[in-house]
């Protein structure tokens, strides 16, 4: 269709050459980097994630490292989720909000030490945000983008592959926890996490020169389990109800609207960025909420790059933010960010480019 013009501004992953050699034939951009989005076998890539094990270059999940005497304080100031019982070796999913209570990122925060953290970020520039807040508050923290590049191993057989490389201790790793490890001299953090609900791990590579080596080690260890390359899977993540910041959110979305209210602690003190606005939103009641929508047609969706209006009669009630053909439900499904006047069971109309399609609102996750 067209070519992407590359430059040093559009950075490459340490796994880039290996993913191209594996047949990666489509890419997106995320955090100013290229990320593979397919290897030419979409259906097989999906079923491998559901039934087997898949390996993904997710080095675009950049690590904003915050260290120094005020690091813990800064991380709490940035986050409306209470972090007082956060333990070294643990990861937590955390909404980040601006002063208006708008969701500006939804990282996993890893606690590496009492004064050292990684914010494993979604697609927005938290490096600048964290530095600005630290400077304005007079907090002493060193804030850098670390040389860390996650490789995800996802699917029901993922633990077998990771145990074959690192040992049986990986079976005991709790969800979102991580541990330092080394394989063939390559330093990695092994975490039980990943952007799918099929189970799995993320290997945080800590040496950008060893990307091909780590990829090949995983590829070899995965051979008995028929591992293959894949990527964060649009179909599985929508079926599973996983949020894509910037895809399913806009410049007015707050955490309550997109099912992240349980990660907000309103009794945190006023120094937390956005907490006062979040309290006000909570008191007034948020206007929209995120549900699922199942469409009544059965012509599989192509991927789309705009939100589709959701109507009741001739009144717009919200948007379908991302939609996909569900291979397990054999239906078109999507995320509906709609007025709270609507609820599960309501019938709506989705305005696709080509036609209006009837649908019904449902609970998330779909599966
Ligand atoms: N892994 C790592 N970094 C990341 C992502 C990741 N950075 C970018 C992006 N993904 C951040 N966003 C999310 C969104 C959802 C989840 C993780 C990161 C997630 N959510 C679960 C859910 O919603 O069911 C669990 C939440 C919980 O119970 O705490 O896993 O994937 N390294």
């Amino acid at each position: 269709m067209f070519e992407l013009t590359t430059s040093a501004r559009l950075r490459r992953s340490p796994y880039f050459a290996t993913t191209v050699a594996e047949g990666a034939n489509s890419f997106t951009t995320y955090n100013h980097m290229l990320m593979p989005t397919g290897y030419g076998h979409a259906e097989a890539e999906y079923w491998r994630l559901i039934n087997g094990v898949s390996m993904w270059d997710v080095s675009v999940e950049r690590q904003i490292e915050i260290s120094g005497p005020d690091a813990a304080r800064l991380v709490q100031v940035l986050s409306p989720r209470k972090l007082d019982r956060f333990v070294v070796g643990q990861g937590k999913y955390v909404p980040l909000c601006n002063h208006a209570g708008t969701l500006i990122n939804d990282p996993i925060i890893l606690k590496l030490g009492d004064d050292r953290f990684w914010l494993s970020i979604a697609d927005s520039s938290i490096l600048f945000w964290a530095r600005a807040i630290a400077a304005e508050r007079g907090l002493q923290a060193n804030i850098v983008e670390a040389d860390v590049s996650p490789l995800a191993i996802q699917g029901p057989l993922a633990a077998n592959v990771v145990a074959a490389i690192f040992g049986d201790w990986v079976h005991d790793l709790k969800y979102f926890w991580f541990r330092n490890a080394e394989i063939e001299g390559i330093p990695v953090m092994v975490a039980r996490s990943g952007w799918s609900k099929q189970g799995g791990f993320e290997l945080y590579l800590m040496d950008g020169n060893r990307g091909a080596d780590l990829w090949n080690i995983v590829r070899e260890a995965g051979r008995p389990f028929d591992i293959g390359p894949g990527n964060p899977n649009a179909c599985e993540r929508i079926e599973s109800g996983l949020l894509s910041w910037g895809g399913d959110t806009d410049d007015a979305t707050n955490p309550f609207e997109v099912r992240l209210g349980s990660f907000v602690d309103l009794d945190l003190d006023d120094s937390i960025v956005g907490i006062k606005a979040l309290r006000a939103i909570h008191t007034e009641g948020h206007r929209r909420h995120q549900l699922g929508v199942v469409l009544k047609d059965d012509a599989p969706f192509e991927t789309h790059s705009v939100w589709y209006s959701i109507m009741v009669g001739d009144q717009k009630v919200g948007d379908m933010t991302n939609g996909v053909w569900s291979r397990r439900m054999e239906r078109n499904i999507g995320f509906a960010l709609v007025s709270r006047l609507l609820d599960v069971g309501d019938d709506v109309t989705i305005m696709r480019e080509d036609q209006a399609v009837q649908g019904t609102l449902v609970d998330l996750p779909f599966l």
Side-chain angles (χ1 to χ4, degrees):
M1 190 168 54
F2 57 80
E3 282 182 28
L4 206 58
T5 306
T6 58
S7 77
R9 183 170 51 70
L10 195 54
R11 301 173 297 166
R12 292 182 178 190
S13 147
Y15 313 110
F16 180 78
T18 29
T19 61
V20 170
E22 291 270 14
N25 64 357
S26 64
F27 286 82
T28 189
T29 71
Y30 194 98
N31 282 324
H32 315 287
M33 288 183 70
L34 288 168
M35 178 174 74
T37 52
Y39 291 80
H41 307 282
E43 171 140 25
E45 289 163 30
Y46 171 82
W47 289 112
R48 182 180 282 128
L49 168 62
I50 302 299
N51 297 321
V53 54
S54 179
M55 60 190 291
W56 309 346
D57 173 359
V58 287
S59 63
V60 298
E61 293 166 353
R62 301 312 293 168
Q63 309 305 305
I64 306 306
E65 181 169 308
I66 301 183
S67 60
D70 292 328
R73 177 73 200 138
L74 176 59
V75 169
Q76 179 63 86
V77 161
L78 293 172
S79 146
R81 179 174 182 180
K82 202 178 283 180
L83 299 175
D84 57 343
R85 292 196 306 178
F86 201 4
V87 174
V88 174
Q90 196 178 8
K92 276 183 191 281
Y93 182 46
V94 170
L96 302 188
C97 294
N98 66 13
H99 300 81
T102 303
L103 190 68
I104 59 167
N105 204 294
D106 65 334
I108 293 172
I109 305 185
L110 293 85
K111 184 165 180 172
L112 303 158
D114 285 327
D115 54 7
R116 190 162 162 251
F117 300 82
W118 284 342
L119 273 54
S120 184
I121 59 169
D123 187 22
S124 69
S125 297
I126 296 307
L127 182 66
F128 295 158
W129 176 254
R131 283 179 177 164
I133 300 292
E136 293 290 325
R137 298 290 178 95
L139 295 174
Q140 274 188 55
N142 186 38
I143 305 165
V144 297
E145 186 181 309
D147 173 15
V148 176
S149 301
L151 179 66
I153 305 172
Q154 299 287 301
L157 302 181
N160 300 304
V161 178
V162 180
I165 301 169
F166 295 100
D168 280 335
W169 61 265
V170 306
H171 293 295
D172 300 325
L173 209 51
K174 284 183 278 184
Y175 188 50
F176 276 13
W177 288 63
F178 61 92
R179 206 176 116 174
N180 210 310
E182 202 180 87
I183 179 72
E184 295 181 14
I186 308 171
V188 290
M189 214 57 99
V190 179
R192 191 155 214 155
S193 55
W195 208 55
S196 87
K197 282 288 175 188
Q198 306 312 311
F201 293 78
E202 292 179 300
L203 309 181
Y204 290 76
L205 167 66
M206 296 187 282
D207 178 352
N209 296 314
R210 305 294 305 275
D213 296 335
L214 183 62
W215 182 281
N216 291 328
I217 287 166
V218 174
R219 197 75 161 101
E220 278 310 308
R223 204 169 290 280
F225 307 99
D226 195 29
I227 201 170
N231 63 285
N233 192 281
C235 178
E236 191 277 342
R237 78 99 183 167
I238 293 175
E239 292 173 335
S240 299
L242 286 172
L243 183 74
S244 173
W245 183 88
D248 301 314
T249 63
D250 62 17
D251 195 33
T253 306
N254 64 62
F256 305 112
E257 291 179 323
V258 286
R259 300 175 293 129
L260 301 185
S262 60
F263 302 117
V264 173
D265 292 302
L266 292 171
D267 60 337
L268 279 165
D269 72 78
D270 286 359
S271 69
I272 293 0
V273 177
I275 199 76
K276 285 186 259 181
L278 289 165
R279 277 192 220 118
I281 293 165
H282 190 258
T283 303
E284 285 166 29
H286 50 287
R287 291 182 10 261
R288 300 180 294 182
H289 60 168
Q290 188 185 44
L291 300 172
V293 60
V294 178
L295 281 70
K296 290 195 163 52
D297 66 338
D298 49 19
F301 265 153
E302 298 293 320
T303 55
H304 56 105
S305 53
V306 293
W307 287 9
Y308 294 146
S309 290
I310 297 181
M311 316 288 289
V312 171
D314 55 10
Q315 189 138 23
K316 176 165 174 167
V317 294
D319 296 279
M320 195 191 82
T321 60
N322 268 291
V324 73
W325 174 255
S326 165
R327 295 183 190 274
R328 279 179 288 174
M329 295 167 65
E330 300 191 328
R331 274 274 162 265
N332 284 320
I333 61 172
F335 283 127
L337 188 56
V338 291
S339 160
R340 285 178 80 195
L341 298 175
L342 280 92
D343 214 337
V344 169
D346 285 342
D347 290 323
V348 293
T349 305
I350 291 86
M351 307 303 286
R352 291 172 62 167
E353 288 106 335
D354 47 345
Q355 66 188 121
V357 183
Q358 296 308 117
T360 305
L361 298 175
V362 299
D363 253 329
L364 289 172
F366 291 95
L367 295 174

